Amino acid sequence: MSYEEIEGQIKSAGEKLKLDSSTIEQIYSPQRIIEANFPVKMDNGKVKIFKGYRVQHNNARGPFKGGIRYHEDTNIEEVKILAALMSLKTAVIDIPFGGGKGGVRVNPKEISQDELKRLTESFVKSISDFIGEKKDIPAPDVNTNAQIMKWFREEYEKITHQKAPGVITGKKLSDGGIKVRDEATGLGGAAVILEIAKQFSKPVKDITIVIQGFGNVGHHLAHHLAQMGFLIIAIADVDGGFMHEDGLDYYKTFKKVYHKKGKICDTCYCLIHGESTDCKIVTAESVLYQQADILIPAAIGEQITIKNADKIKAKVIVEMANHPVTHDAEKILKKKNVLIIPDILANSGGVLGSYFEWIENTTDKKMTYKQSQEKLIEKMRRATHEVLKTAEKFSVTPRESAYLLAISRIAKAIKSQKI
Ligand code: NAD
């Protein structure tokens, strides 16, 4: 995906909404791009300069919000794209945040824990003027975690001489995090699918589901879908997985896989037949081509492209990964009447979980774990309903409709600002 692609989608939604050209430009242009070259003292006593980015895409609806990734290939184009997607996600689910994203060019596996801590602290120093509980709130992303968030917050509080638990989300429970955060993206996806289920003229227990990816998103999603009663018939991660058309008992099946240290074994557990050798072994790729009502790519981007879109047999694709279906593939799938639920809606449960954490940190409003799960499901179902209703009203795809909803909300906020 390129930034031009997002820009094109924003322009086309803006024109459909009859927005003036300056408002459209304001929405696709990132408000601020920070490129920092910051020093880190390495364990051998030498100082090395690292490069980090923070793109503050849009804050018309509220503080910039989005993760920070540590990766040796991170670059400004990628961070710009991800920041724009965050503005769209927070607007689609209608929470009072804008969008931002950050990245540091580093392979965390190549440095020590002490170096990782000093790198985080130095990056915070270089961007501390631009972040804050009401300004810009980072979170974990690729290769960053709750420990890094703790260092981040501590350094920020040291610099600003104030308590600021809400300057960052994705913290451990003991540091002001909340329980629902870890599962929020998967739970949100399950809530989206529950709403989509209304489109099928059969009960949830007969709606067949195939999942590619069994990491943080995939396994929480599978857990919640199983609890809701959907019929999960295939799951695969990068090493492959299982398929059984009568439904997998995914808890038992994947417990066994993980006991074998990720190696796929020759038995799965079928919901009806129990331990079974009847299951089909699928690869990370072939799992995409199984006959099912709903296919969920929840692994990595660009899994469904112009090269394999023809092989897809599912009726609905729910994009839990970011950008798993390319633009050209979508054109082919549209002709085949495959409904695609876009990433900016499907995987936005994570930022909703972050929002709940931030509310707890910055106000005296608290929710129990159960309340936060219920609220998350309710908000994700409402957003899905709105996207589907708008798609029907304007005779557009759910992706176009999600963009229309998001852009109209951002434009409304821009119009109410004084310049
Ligand atoms: P993860 O690293 O925990 O898990 C990734 C999964 O994908 C693993 O099961 C892995 O085996 C599988 N995988 C990796 N390469 C693969 C390949 N080539 N083919 C098939 N499977 C492959 O990541 P995650 O946090 O679960 O994120 C999954 C996707 O969801 C990513 O695209 C991520 O950007 C997106 N996403 C995640 C969150 C979140 O809260 N974690 C939020 C929004 C979007």
Side-chain angles (χ1 to χ4, degrees):
M1 186 180 219
S2 64
Y3 198 79
E4 282 71 47
E5 210 177 297
I6 296 196
E7 200 175 299
Q9 278 165 332
I10 294 175
K11 276 184 190 160
S12 131
E15 282 156 14
K16 261 202 187 95
L17 291 163
K18 301 196 172 22
L19 299 178
D20 58 80
S21 58
S22 69
T23 306
I24 297 176
E25 192 177 346
Q26 237 178 303
I27 299 174
Y28 68 70
S29 312
Q31 279 176 229
R32 183 183 286 127
I33 296 178
I34 303 163
E35 182 176 314
N37 295 301
F38 57 94
V40 180
K41 192 164 186 186
M42 307 308 280
D43 289 345
N44 63 8
K46 291 196 175 136
V47 172
K48 201 172 156 188
I49 306 297
F50 286 85
K51 198 179 271 301
Y53 310 102
R54 184 74 185 164
V55 174
Q56 298 184 320
H57 179 261
N58 191 285
N59 70 349
R61 302 183 64 262
F64 302 106
K65 182 82 190 92
I68 290 184
R69 54 181 52 189
Y70 286 178
H71 198 284
E72 69 264 44
D73 297 332
T74 293
N75 58 72
I76 195 64
E77 171 79 2
E78 174 194 61
V79 180
K80 260 172 71 184
I81 293 170
L82 294 166
L85 289 177
M86 287 307 297
S87 298
L88 297 167
K89 282 184 198 187
T90 53
V92 170
I93 56 169
D94 206 7
I95 53 174
F97 280 150
K101 202 80 180 188
V104 175
R105 285 178 75 87
V106 60
N107 178 351
K109 290 192 190 103
E110 286 176 358
I111 61 175
S112 71
Q113 274 296 101
D114 287 345
E115 287 169 338
L116 193 62
K117 181 169 186 278
R118 291 196 293 273
L119 174 131
T120 302
E121 290 165 352
S122 187
F123 184 51
V124 176
K125 278 192 193 92
S126 69
I127 60 169
S128 63
D129 283 347
F130 302 99
I131 56 171
E133 287 185 315
K134 302 275 163 69
K135 267 195 223 173
D136 183 352
I137 307 137
D141 197 73
V142 176
N143 293 334
T144 50
N145 54 28
Q147 178 58 59
I148 293 174
M149 299 305 109
K150 184 176 195 296
W151 293 332
F152 198 107
R153 171 188 166 186
E154 285 169 353
E155 184 61 20
Y156 180 78
E157 291 183 341
K158 210 163 99 189
I159 296 167
T160 57
H161 305 289
Q162 57 175 2
K163 283 259 164 266
V167 70
I168 197 120
T169 58
K171 301 179 291 291
K172 279 185 208 149
L173 292 184
S174 53
D175 297 326
I178 58 167
K179 202 171 165 195
V180 82
R181 179 61 189 85
D182 267 357
E183 66 185 318
T185 308
L187 176 61
V192 168
I193 292 164
L194 202 54
E195 197 58 30
I196 304 291
K198 288 184 185 163
Q199 309 253 323
F200 290 90
S201 49
K202 56 182 174 183
V204 159
K205 70 175 182 46
D206 295 329
I207 296 180
T208 51
I209 307 255
V210 164
I211 305 174
Q212 186 206 43
F214 203 66
N216 178 277
V217 174
H219 97 265
H220 284 299
L221 175 75
H223 165 83
H224 286 292
L225 288 174
Q227 297 248 308
M228 288 169 179
F230 285 95
L231 193 63
I232 301 173
I233 57 165
I235 307 182
D237 67 7
V238 70
D239 297 316
F242 293 104
M243 144 103 198
H244 200 304
E245 60 197 18
D246 291 331
L248 293 173
D249 182 333
Y250 102 93
Y251 295 100
K252 286 188 182 159
T253 300
F254 278 84
K255 210 165 150 193
K256 183 155 181 171
V257 172
Y258 281 118
H259 277 168
K260 287 229 174 183
K261 294 204 169 62
K263 293 276 171 283
I264 301 300
C265 29
D266 54 2
T267 49
C268 72
Y269 290 84
C270 172
L271 282 176
I272 300 174
H273 312 293
E275 188 160 352
S276 164
T277 48
D278 263 1
C279 57
K280 220 162 87 183
I281 307 277
V282 286
T283 64
E285 187 191 340
S286 70
V287 73
L288 299 169
Y289 312 139
Q290 304 303 318
Q291 189 84 49
D293 291 314
I294 303 180
L295 167 65
I296 310 172
I300 54 170
E302 312 214 339
Q303 289 299 289
I304 304 170
T305 66
I306 197 159
K307 289 192 188 133
N308 65 356
D310 252 344
K311 297 188 196 164
I312 301 295
K313 298 195 194 87
K315 299 182 185 84
V316 176
I317 296 176
V318 179
E319 294 186 324
M320 290 305 293
N322 281 321
H323 197 52
V325 180
T326 64
H327 188 59
D328 290 338
E330 183 154 3
K331 286 188 203 154
I332 298 172
L333 292 164
K334 197 175 169 187
K335 281 193 199 135
K336 290 172 58 161
N337 282 327
V338 179
L339 186 76
I340 301 176
I341 305 303
D343 47 6
I344 60 165
L345 168 67
N347 68 28
S348 57
V351 70
L352 184 51
S354 280
Y355 172 57
F356 294 162
E357 180 178 334
W358 179 79
I359 293 270
E360 286 226 7
N361 296 156
T362 55
T363 69
D364 53 9
K365 287 184 199 144
K366 300 267 177 266
M367 277 194 277
T368 63
Y369 174 47
K370 193 161 175 283
Q371 283 169 335
S372 59
Q373 281 187 316
E374 285 169 358
K375 186 92 187 145
L376 196 139
I377 293 173
E378 181 207 312
K379 271 194 91 65
M380 292 302 294
R381 288 191 74 163
R382 190 186 314 152
T384 309
H385 176 73
E386 283 173 346
V387 167
L388 294 177
K389 210 173 68 184
T390 308
E392 206 181 306
K393 186 173 156 196
F394 290 98
S395 297
V396 295
T397 64
R399 189 182 313 281
E400 289 166 310
S401 140
Y403 269 77
L404 285 176
L405 270 176
I407 304 298
S408 64
R409 286 175 181 153
I410 299 170
K412 196 169 157 205
I414 288 175
K415 286 218 172 80
S416 67
Q417 285 173 332
K418 283 195 195 110
I419 298 180

